[in-house]
Every structure is written in C-alpha cells, then in structure tokens.
Amino acid sequence: MMARTKRDRRAYSAGERGRNRARVFPDPRTGLFQIEWRENGRRLTRSLKHRDWRRAKRQADEFAAGFAKPEPNGKKDAEPEPLTLERLFDIYGEEVTPTKAAASQRYDRATLAMFLGFFGKRRRPETLSRRDWDRFIRARRAGKAGRSRRPVANRTIQQDLKLLLAVLNWAAKSRDEEGRLLLESNPLRGLKTPAEKNPTRVLLTDAEYQALLRASEVMDWRFRVALVIAHETGHRIGAIRQLRWSDIDMGAKAIRWRAEHEKTGYEHRTPVTAEALDVLEEARMQNPRGGNSPVLPAPRDPSRCLDRSRVRVWWDKAQRLAGLEPKRGRGWHSLRRKFASDLMNQPLRVLCELGGWKTAQTVLQCYQRADEDQLRKALEDRRRVSIPAE
C-alpha cells in the first residue's frame, strides 16, 4: 500500500489507483473532511464529520487496507479517540495559529513542537500537573528543553508557558463536531509563570541616539533610514524593515502598518514627522522603483526586504562607530522605549495609536520610564504649587 501527502496538506491519498485508492480532503464550505473512493466504476464520497487531519489520514489508510468502511457514524467512530497533546496542538495549529501575525505563527509552531518533545506526543493534556509545570521550568532554565539547548531567562519561560495556558484554555472552551468539549478543564489553571525580578529594559538616551545618527552617515543608507523611522514612529524594526512603498502616503504624510508585520496583528495608520519624511525621500532617491517594492530592499535582491540578521549586524557596527560601550538590551527596541518615554506627557490612548500598542498597560509596565530630568521637573512643579504666592 502506498500513501502520499500533498505539500499543502489539503488532500491525502492511500492505496493504489484502480484498486483500493481512498482520498481524504476538507470540504471547502464546512472544513469537515470527506473521503472519496471508487466502487463498481462509480466515484463515491462521504463526510467523515470531523476536522482532525491525522484521524482522516488514518481512516484513509484503514479503508484502503480493507480495515474499515467509510461510514462516519459507524460503530468504530462511536467513541471519540483520546485527546493527545499532539492532536490538540494540531487542531490549535490549524484553527487558531493562522489567525495570528506571521512572527507569532512561527513562534507557535516552534514552541508547541518544543512542548511535544518535552512532554511526549501521546501525553494526555488532562494529566498535566504542577510537577510537569515545575519540571519544565527547571529544564528550560538549565538549557535542557528547546531546540537551542541553551539556558533562558524567566521572561522567555513565561512567554512559553503563556502559550501553553492559552492552548489549554482554548481547548476547555471548544467543542468537537459531536458537541463534546475538547478538554473538560485546564489542568494548569492558576499556576503562576516565573517573572523577571529586574528585567533588562534599556532606554536609549538622546545623546546615544545622536551618536548613532552621526555614525549612520558613513554606513549603508538603509541603516540611517531605518534608524530615523524607528526613532520617529516608535515601531518595531521588524515592521519597519518590511515596509513597502504602497504603505507610504507621502501626500498625507502617513504610514500604514500591516497586521502581518506587527507582533500584535494590529493594522493601523499613523502620521509621521518631517524627519521621517526626509529620510523616506532619501530612500526613494536611492530606490526609485516605487509600487509595492520594499522601502528598505535587501542589498543583493531589491525585490526582497531586509532580513533580521542584517539590521542586527548594522546596529552593532553603528554602536562601535559611535563609541558606545556594548550594553545588554540596548538594541533596536530601546528606540521604542525612548519613543514611549519621550511622549509621556501625551494621553495614553494617543500614544498607543501612534506606537501601535494594543493596551495602555503594556506601555506602562514595559516601555515608559521617566529619566532624571523628568523627575526633577516634577519635583520643581510640585514645589511651585506648594509655595503660596506672596
């Protein structure tokens, strides 16, 4: 018996053509898998009444081997198969992950694969416990879990476990085609994720920015454009390096930030400053292709956007040229924190719209930080208010 799977995973065939071929594929209207076979020269199709890709493939194999008939309501399907972590992650990956931004989709796939490797593919999710939770935290800290096998900080572990909790919470609220909950309850609900006691959140200073700006004059023009746009818009470098000219409205002095390039999946449009417009004009002179071409094209392939490694290398080079001592956490994201802190006197709703933050809580907890000048000014303002006029 031979079996093959198409690359797009939209169809699977088992058996031999003309003999016992069976094919499964999703109904484009309902998403439920169908099974198709030939009997006495006639092509027959039945619904399998579920959306479980692995189960559909197994049913095609069994039917082709003569072990089962394509009857969705037969005795074999009366009892649901036990839910495993592998099956749960597959369902989540097919139904929820595709709704997220591209970077989040990649993170989901890598992290869920890590959990499968650690807990086991056949592990029943309802059997997870506090002991498994603590065991994973210890292993991740020691570099004994994950593809890189390197020790990680609490912030990374927290992010990993939040995804696991999200999957289990989703399963506890989602039902199969028979109306049964995928999971009766989240077995890890209420457990606390580890938190960084003193997270490294470096804020780029004005002096450091000016030094980087001077260094950019002797570097690739793309670095200077990216640096100024990051400073003037407060957006992530991942979204900036993937901007295309179709996102830039020079007449309206605005930029559209696409959802697929935003970590939050939040598409929005923001006005830009004169400084940002100036470097965009420079970029257009360097790369006048326009249309949907990249604002910051890759040096060797102008049809593609800059990659992550390139902008990281340029940042390190700019720091050296600027005479800045390397500091952990002082990277592209420190410009985003500078933007949030520079606009601390603006309403949080306005700041969130400008920087693409979904919630004000994120800004307050992770991005805004008053510098010494702001603290002194606040004290001076308090002193002037408290001293009565003579």
Side-chain angles (χ1 to χ4, degrees):
M1 182 176 66
M2 301 176 62
R4 62 183 178 86
T5 307
K6 292 185 178 180
R7 286 187 179 182
D8 60 5
R9 298 212 333 164
R10 292 195 61 80
Y12 175 85
S13 296
E16 298 180 20
R17 189 180 299 277
R19 295 186 55 198
N20 61 338
R21 173 62 59 87
R23 188 171 78 97
V24 290
F25 56 92
D27 186 316
R29 296 169 301 172
T30 65
L32 298 175
F33 281 105
Q34 310 284 309
I35 186 166
E36 179 185 88
W37 77 102
R38 286 187 176 274
E39 190 173 299
N40 299 323
R42 295 175 57 204
R43 180 179 294 176
L44 302 178
T45 304
R46 295 285 186 277
S47 174
L48 295 176
K49 297 188 180 299
H50 64 78
R51 298 186 179 89
D52 188 334
W53 173 241
R54 292 182 180 274
R55 182 180 173 192
K57 288 173 61 178
R58 186 164 56 252
Q59 287 177 301
D61 289 336
E62 292 174 348
F63 175 67
F67 295 153
K69 295 181 179 180
E71 294 297 334
N73 297 319
K75 184 176 180 180
K76 187 174 182 64
D77 291 333
E79 290 295 326
E81 295 184 10
L83 182 70
T84 62
L85 280 179
E86 182 180 37
R87 183 182 168 203
L88 173 58
F89 291 170
D90 278 347
I91 297 172
Y92 186 88
E94 292 178 359
E95 297 184 12
V96 182
T97 296
T99 66
K100 302 181 181 181
S104 296
Q105 291 185 38
R106 291 192 295 270
Y107 174 76
D108 277 13
R109 289 190 290 268
T111 306
L112 294 180
M114 174 186 65
F115 281 127
L116 285 181
F118 188 80
F119 294 123
K121 296 181 178 180
R122 309 307 298 171
R123 181 69 182 270
R124 300 275 292 274
E126 66 270 20
T127 66
L128 294 174
S129 68
R130 176 62 182 264
R131 293 179 64 196
D132 296 301
W133 180 273
D134 293 339
R135 185 166 59 91
F136 173 80
I137 293 174
R138 289 194 299 269
R140 199 80 166 102
R141 281 176 179 158
K144 297 180 180 179
R147 183 180 299 179
S148 64
R149 296 288 171 174
R150 291 183 300 180
V152 298
N154 282 344
R155 181 69 183 89
T156 301
I157 301 173
Q158 181 186 66
Q159 188 177 10
D160 295 340
L161 290 174
K162 281 185 175 180
L163 175 60
L164 179 60
L165 290 174
V167 174
L168 296 175
N169 284 332
W170 176 83
K173 297 176 183 178
S174 302
R175 298 181 182 272
D176 62 17
E177 285 69 31
E178 302 299 325
R180 295 180 289 251
L181 285 170
L182 295 177
L183 195 61
E184 289 297 326
S185 63
N186 179 353
L188 303 179
R189 183 179 180 182
L191 297 181
K192 292 184 178 180
T193 58
E196 292 286 348
K197 293 182 179 179
N198 297 296
T200 304
R201 292 171 180 156
V202 175
L203 179 71
L204 195 73
T205 67
D206 280 320
E208 289 171 335
Y209 173 67
Q210 293 301 325
L212 290 170
L213 203 57
R214 289 191 294 272
S216 71
E217 295 176 359
V218 296
M219 293 180 59
D220 191 290
W221 64 269
R222 300 168 185 83
F223 175 76
R224 178 179 175 81
V225 173
L227 179 68
V228 174
I229 293 178
H231 181 266
E232 297 300 312
T233 68
H235 278 71
R236 294 178 177 86
I237 187 60
I240 293 169
R241 64 181 179 80
Q242 296 184 88
L243 283 173
R244 295 182 177 271
W245 285 113
S246 55
D247 301 321
I248 311 298
D249 189 337
M250 298 294 282
K253 302 178 181 179
I255 294 178
R256 176 185 64 161
W257 304 94
R258 303 190 191 195
E260 61 266 31
H261 301 149
E262 287 289 314
K263 181 180 178 181
T264 58
Y266 172 46
E267 181 158 327
H268 56 289
R269 178 184 170 98
T270 62
V272 292
T273 63
E275 289 81 359
L277 290 174
D278 286 344
V279 293
L280 286 170
E281 285 289 0
E282 291 179 23
R284 188 153 59 179
M285 292 175 63
Q286 295 281 353
N287 178 37
R289 300 176 66 185
N292 200 41
S293 62
V295 174
L296 300 171
R300 295 184 180 180
D301 185 356
S303 66
R304 301 182 61 181
C305 298
L306 282 175
D307 59 71
R308 287 181 293 178
S309 60
R310 176 80 63 173
V311 293
R312 191 181 303 119
V313 168
W314 281 346
W315 179 274
D316 293 340
K317 180 181 178 181
Q319 285 193 119
R320 291 194 299 272
L321 291 174
L324 301 179
E325 290 292 330
K327 182 188 294 186
R328 182 172 177 264
R330 191 216 284 131
W332 286 99
H333 218 63
S334 63
L335 281 164
R336 187 160 164 81
R337 298 188 192 97
K338 183 179 187 301
F339 182 84
S341 298
D342 286 349
L343 298 179
M344 192 176 293
N345 62 334
Q346 296 297 321
L348 276 172
R349 182 70 267 172
V350 172
L351 177 56
C352 288
E353 289 292 332
L354 286 173
W357 286 282
K358 269 192 172 181
T359 64
Q361 183 180 11
T362 302
V363 176
L364 292 171
Q365 288 183 345
C366 306
Y367 288 93
Q368 281 190 338
R369 196 182 75 188
D371 59 24
E372 186 172 336
D373 289 340
Q374 288 171 316
L375 295 175
R376 290 185 182 280
K377 184 178 182 301
L379 290 174
E380 288 297 324
D381 290 344
R382 175 177 179 268
R383 181 173 178 273
R384 282 195 294 269
V385 171
S386 61
I387 298 176
E390 293 182 358

